[in-house]
Amino acid sequence: MAVAARRRREPGALLRAGPWPTMTRQGWLPPGPRKERAMQIGMIGLGRMGLNMARRLARGGHQVVAHNRTPQKALDFAVREGGLAAGSLDELAALLRPPRVVWLMLPAEAVDQAIAGLAAVLEPGDLVVEGGNSHYKLDGPRAALLAARGVDYLDAGVSGGVWGLEEGYCLMVGGSAEGFARLTPALESLAPAGGYLRVGPVGSGHFVKMIHNGVEYGMMQAYAEGFELMKAGPFAAECDFRAICELWQRGSVVRSWLLELLGRAFAADPRLEEVGGWVDDSGEGRWTVELAVETATNAPVLTLALMNRFRSRQSEAFGDKVLAALREQFGGHAVKRPGQG
């Protein structure tokens, strides 16, 4: 079920004519790689993150061969963005020119099955990139399984959420220097300037991303408690939380992208009355705390931030509404409405 993209130019014009810049609310994305830097890359998994990453790669001048559990999503991508759709892993391997590069963006529970399937169809010299939220301890066995067939393996921690298509992704990559060098043209298209790095050997990419998410928990908790205190204080009736977010973005030492997103949440719902105070956790915050216990490392802020998410499922505090609103803003995570347990 291979479907070539329908483009305004003839097939193949994308790589022959070179890439074009893309307009975003921040301005023009830089043009993609030159013709000699353009890659062909397989993308398995077209969920929230995978689909936007495939789009950004295609708009950067790369040919993306897409495969998804629901075939229609791959077909839609091929038609709208340019590229190819593969109905199976065998077809994906057949459509990619050796040496192949395949990037996985799958739920954690689906990764091992996909890697086992790829091990059966890939060849020596090929490269697999695992970009999902996997535990770093799983990367070593996965790399060993593929290495037995001569296939290289990189693990990539990916941050950027639903805004990555426009803003770019922060990419923390673990694995061989040779594999990283091969992947660099794609990383250049996915990330903003300076937004990708090989952080160490296999496993280190997911490890650094795990710590990143633990830090994220702590930052979000600090904002939540601050706005909780403002709402409980003597000037709550006059507090314009959106305006305060905007103010703190102008020269303050606590300015951040999270604060910008919180301001957007307040602009849509000034008192977060439509947001329930239930705050979920994705797993990496838990893994960070487990590491602190394993290594006897003092991490009270990150640990308490995780504990507060557990507590949020038993109350409707305003600070929890701030946390839930932030998760919706940066990651598109579903929020519960007031009264939903």
Side-chain angles (χ1 to χ4, degrees):
M1 184 179 59
V3 176
R6 291 202 293 265
R7 307 187 183 100
R8 283 174 288 185
R9 309 178 189 186
E10 71 275 15
L14 179 63
L15 296 183
R16 288 202 300 274
W20 54 87
T22 302
M23 182 62 181
T24 75
R25 61 189 184 84
Q26 298 293 334
W28 290 96
L29 286 175
R34 298 182 302 274
K35 176 181 177 181
E36 61 270 19
R37 296 279 285 170
M39 291 180 61
Q40 190 189 42
I41 185 167
M43 179 66 73
I44 300 178
L46 299 178
R48 270 197 311 250
M49 292 279 281
L51 178 58
N52 280 346
M53 291 173 69
R55 286 171 172 162
R56 190 168 170 101
L57 285 167
R59 295 173 191 183
H62 306 284
Q63 185 185 53
V64 179
V65 181
H67 172 66
N68 193 70
R69 181 181 61 181
T70 306
Q72 191 60 46
K73 293 189 76 171
L75 289 167
D76 291 344
F77 166 80
V79 169
R80 295 173 184 171
E81 299 290 342
L84 300 170
S88 66
L89 295 184
D90 287 287
E91 189 171 11
L92 180 81
L95 289 170
L96 290 168
R97 296 182 299 274
R100 304 169 184 86
V101 176
V102 180
W103 192 307
L104 302 178
M105 288 301 296
L106 295 168
E109 62 273 13
V111 173
D112 284 316
Q113 181 179 358
I115 287 179
L118 287 171
V121 298
L122 295 182
E123 299 173 338
D126 293 345
L127 171 66
V128 171
V129 185
E130 205 306 85
N133 285 334
S134 289
H135 197 292
Y136 73 94
K137 291 182 179 180
L138 299 175
D139 289 315
R142 291 167 176 170
L145 173 67
L146 292 170
R149 296 189 58 86
V151 177
D152 201 0
Y153 176 90
L154 299 178
D155 56 286
V158 182
S159 181
V162 296
W163 293 96
L165 176 61
E166 295 183 9
E167 307 287 349
Y169 299 90
C170 178
L171 302 163
M172 298 147 263
V173 183
S176 70
E178 295 77 13
F180 180 78
R182 281 183 59 191
L183 192 64
T184 294
L187 299 175
E188 289 174 344
S189 294
L190 287 169
Y196 66 93
L197 181 69
R198 178 180 176 268
V199 295
V202 166
S204 63
H206 283 144
F207 179 81
V208 172
K209 176 56 162 53
M210 179 187 77
I211 302 301
H212 165 283
N213 280 29
V215 172
E216 177 186 291
Y217 276 39
M219 292 175 65
M220 291 171 65
Q221 184 63 32
Y223 285 133
E225 292 178 13
F227 282 91
E228 178 90 56
L229 285 167
M230 277 190 273
K231 187 174 184 294
F235 309 108
E238 297 297 323
C239 279
D240 182 335
F241 296 137
R242 182 206 60 78
I244 291 169
C245 288
E246 288 290 326
L247 173 67
W248 285 359
Q249 287 291 83
R250 305 294 186 268
S252 165
V253 296
V254 300
R255 62 187 181 272
S256 74
W257 185 56
L258 285 174
L259 192 61
E260 177 186 341
L261 294 177
L262 183 56
R264 294 179 187 178
F266 282 132
D269 186 357
R271 286 298 189 263
L272 302 184
E273 294 172 349
E274 297 302 316
V275 178
W278 175 289
V279 187
D280 210 344
D281 65 284
S282 62
E284 292 192 272
R286 296 191 189 203
W287 300 340
T288 304
V289 173
E290 290 170 1
L291 177 68
V293 174
E294 289 174 10
T295 59
T297 300
N298 186 37
V301 172
L302 309 189
T303 301
L304 288 174
L306 175 64
M307 297 299 113
N308 186 71
R309 293 195 178 198
F310 298 158
R311 183 209 49 76
S312 77
R313 299 160 201 179
Q314 303 166 8
S315 70
E316 281 285 322
F318 185 72
D320 297 332
K321 292 173 179 279
V322 169
L323 288 172
L326 274 170
R327 292 185 83 247
E328 181 182 35
Q329 285 289 321
F330 72 72
H333 301 291
V335 298
K336 294 184 182 294
R337 299 307 170 189
Q340 291 181 321

